[in-house]
Amino acid sequence: PVSALLEIEILGRLAQLKGFQNRPNVFSYRWPTRSSEKRVFEYYWRGYVEKNKSVLAAAQPFADPVVVIADVSAFYPSLNHQLIGREIGRALDISELQPDERDILAVHLTQSVAAGTKGIPIGPPTSHVLANLALRSLDEQMQSLHGSAYHRYVDDIAIVCEKGEAGKVIRDLT
């Protein structure tokens, strides 16, 4: 219980930091909206529901819409630790923390990475934060190409487009 409470407090702190904010089109982990919120799984469900509503809304302007759906195969077990470490550092740098607070958060985040050179645990909220960091570059690229038609929940990607554009969207993702 103590480690779960500590994780909730750390996640609450990360939620306030500029370097850890989700992009509007990323729904994997929705940070608490009030400091009194302590139910971790509520954030997963909220993000999932918001993503589905956003995909539906994005399809409305299209004459013949389709949703290209992709899933990153073996996502959590395949995440590269060097990439995660680099993205943790980048997010902490953007956040302009004091050195001692930066070190505490860095230790917590890097301890969440499984032993070895690849993979992170599936399930803990910190894993969602690390996953969001690992996919930040993809999010930036896809949003620049597809704008608000691009949506992501963990490793599940949905891009709304006209039916005739689906092939191009698939090539962009590949």
Side-chain angles (χ1 to χ4, degrees):
V2 173
S3 60
L5 290 173
L6 177 62
E7 184 169 43
I8 288 169
E9 289 303 316
I10 288 174
L11 290 169
R13 179 64 179 121
L14 292 175
Q16 300 169 17
L17 300 176
K18 180 178 165 185
F20 291 88
Q21 296 298 309
N22 284 344
R23 300 178 82 71
N25 55 338
V26 175
F27 300 88
S28 304
Y29 185 86
R30 290 301 198 192
W31 296 108
T33 55
R34 298 180 312 271
S35 62
S36 62
E37 288 185 287
K38 300 292 185 194
R39 294 179 303 258
V40 173
F41 289 99
E42 178 182 330
Y43 315 136
Y44 301 140
W45 179 249
R46 183 186 314 150
Y48 180 77
V49 170
E50 287 178 16
K51 186 222 26 145
N52 290 339
K53 288 179 181 177
S54 184
V55 168
L56 184 60
Q60 297 305 310
F62 291 99
D64 193 12
V66 296
V67 180
V68 174
I69 298 174
D71 180 77
V72 179
S73 180
F75 177 64
Y76 280 100
S78 68
L79 283 176
N80 180 289
H81 289 188
Q82 284 185 319
L83 168 69
I84 294 170
R86 185 171 54 248
E87 291 301 321
I88 288 170
R90 183 175 150 203
L92 290 171
D93 288 346
I94 292 169
S95 299
E96 300 175 350
L97 296 165
Q98 296 298 318
D100 57 339
E101 187 176 19
R102 184 187 197 286
D103 292 345
I104 290 168
L105 292 174
V107 165
H108 175 74
L109 291 170
T110 55
Q111 283 180 344
S112 299
V113 176
T117 59
K118 289 198 295 189
I120 61 174
I122 298 170
T126 303
S127 291
H128 276 251
V129 174
L130 296 174
N132 282 344
L133 291 175
L135 290 174
R136 188 165 278 173
S137 173
L138 173 71
D139 294 336
E140 291 168 357
Q141 291 174 335
M142 291 296 106
Q143 190 171 15
S144 73
L145 291 171
H146 301 285
S148 62
Y150 170 74
H151 303 81
R152 183 174 64 77
Y153 181 86
V154 188
D155 63 335
D156 299 321
I157 298 165
I159 301 176
V160 181
C161 63
E162 290 289 354
K163 188 175 184 178
E165 294 293 313
K168 179 191 177 308
V169 169
I170 292 168
R171 285 189 299 279
D172 290 345
L173 276 169
T174 303

